[in-house]
């Protein structure tokens, strides 16, 4: 298919030089560049939802606060 594309003059000159040095056509460089760009833009599939097992009645134990990591570590270590 033919189409008209406007490119920056310096970009076009650099692309033509690269194509000539690598024995390729400008069209093949544009094709490859667009394929690479579009392949990177494919959104990854959504992550699977994970359900964590729980036990007991739920909620926090009396006296436990999630606001302090140090306090949580103390409780897990059995410190008063």
């Amino acid at each position: 298919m033919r189409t008209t594309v406007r490119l920056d003059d310096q970009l076009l000159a650099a692309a033509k030089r690269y194509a000539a040095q690598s024995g390729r056509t400008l069209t093949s460089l544009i094709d490859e560049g667009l394929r690479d760009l579009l392949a990177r833009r494919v959104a990854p599939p959504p992550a699977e939802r994970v359900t964590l097992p729980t036990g007991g009645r739920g909620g926090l134990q009396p006296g436990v606060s999630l606001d302090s990591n140090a306090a949580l570590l103390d409780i897990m270590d059995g410190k008063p």
Side-chain angles (χ1 to χ4, degrees):
M1 172 183 214
R2 289 180 180 256
T3 191
T4 300
V5 178
R6 291 190 178 126
L7 299 174
D8 176 79
D9 292 337
Q10 292 177 339
L11 177 61
L12 178 59
K16 284 182 176 182
R17 279 193 305 275
Y18 183 83
Q21 291 168 351
S22 61
R24 298 174 62 186
T25 65
L26 183 59
T27 299
S28 73
L29 291 182
I30 293 171
D31 285 349
E32 181 181 343
L34 286 173
R35 281 190 184 96
D36 287 349
L37 177 68
L38 294 173
R40 284 184 279 155
R41 292 185 53 109
V42 173
E48 291 184 34
R49 185 160 180 86
V50 176
T51 303
L52 298 176
T54 60
R57 289 172 274 172
L60 296 174
Q61 294 181 5
V64 174
S65 169
L66 297 179
D67 295 330
S68 169
N69 288 344
L72 288 172
L73 290 173
D74 287 345
I75 291 169
M76 288 189 295
D77 288 339
K79 296 179 183 174

